[in-house]
Amino acid sequence: MDTMSLTATAVSSPACVADARDTARDFVDGLARPVAADAADTVVLVVSELVTNALRHGGGACTLDLCEHPGSIEVAVHDRSTQAPRMRTPDLHGDTGGFGWPMVGRLAHATFVTHSSAGGKTVSALLPR
């Protein structure tokens, strides 16, 4: 089973999120068992969304972990906030978002939020291979 980890520390840096996307792409491209192109794109999209949310709402720093399972790819993002992602009415004017968490829920087989005893949380998504 392959795993990879990346720590992101810039609050709103597009470069930081781009690095996370590149890491995800390198991860899926490097797996011994190939991942279909659309599944790889889904992993990259979910990484982008979860890292962006963690940086924006989770205290300005996060860690990305990617793990291959037999039937799925797990994306896990750890941040300092204890507040779980929540569904909210999307902002159709583009000011505050609200589209990402429902999208992650639709793309993933399952999502989990695990709170750490040391503080913070991990948001995980199991995505199809």
Side-chain angles (χ1 to χ4, degrees):
M1 181 165 40
D2 283 337
T3 62
M4 183 179 281
S5 184
L6 169 77
T7 299
T9 56
V11 175
S12 297
S13 170
C16 189
V17 177
D19 288 346
R21 285 192 299 267
D22 291 345
T23 296
R25 180 67 65 188
D26 290 346
F27 177 77
V28 294
D29 288 348
L31 294 174
R33 285 185 37 224
V35 175
D38 59 335
D41 291 344
T42 297
V43 170
V44 172
L45 178 61
V46 169
V47 163
S48 184
E49 183 59 35
L50 293 183
V51 168
T52 297
N53 283 350
L55 293 174
R56 185 175 293 152
H57 305 292
C62 67
T63 301
L64 166 66
D65 291 319
L66 301 164
C67 184
E68 174 189 28
H69 299 286
S72 62
I73 303 291
E74 181 177 359
V75 175
V77 177
H78 318 278
D79 67 42
R80 297 180 216 157
S81 172
T82 58
Q83 186 172 359
R86 62 184 172 83
M87 299 293 260
R88 59 193 177 101
T89 303
D91 177 6
L92 299 178
H93 302 288
D95 295 329
T96 62
F99 295 93
W101 185 239
M103 176 191 67
V104 170
R106 283 190 298 277
L107 293 171
H109 287 308
T111 58
F112 307 92
V113 178
T114 308
H115 294 276
S116 169
S117 60
K121 68 177 175 306
T122 300
V123 178
S124 303
L126 289 177
L127 303 169
R129 281 189 58 88

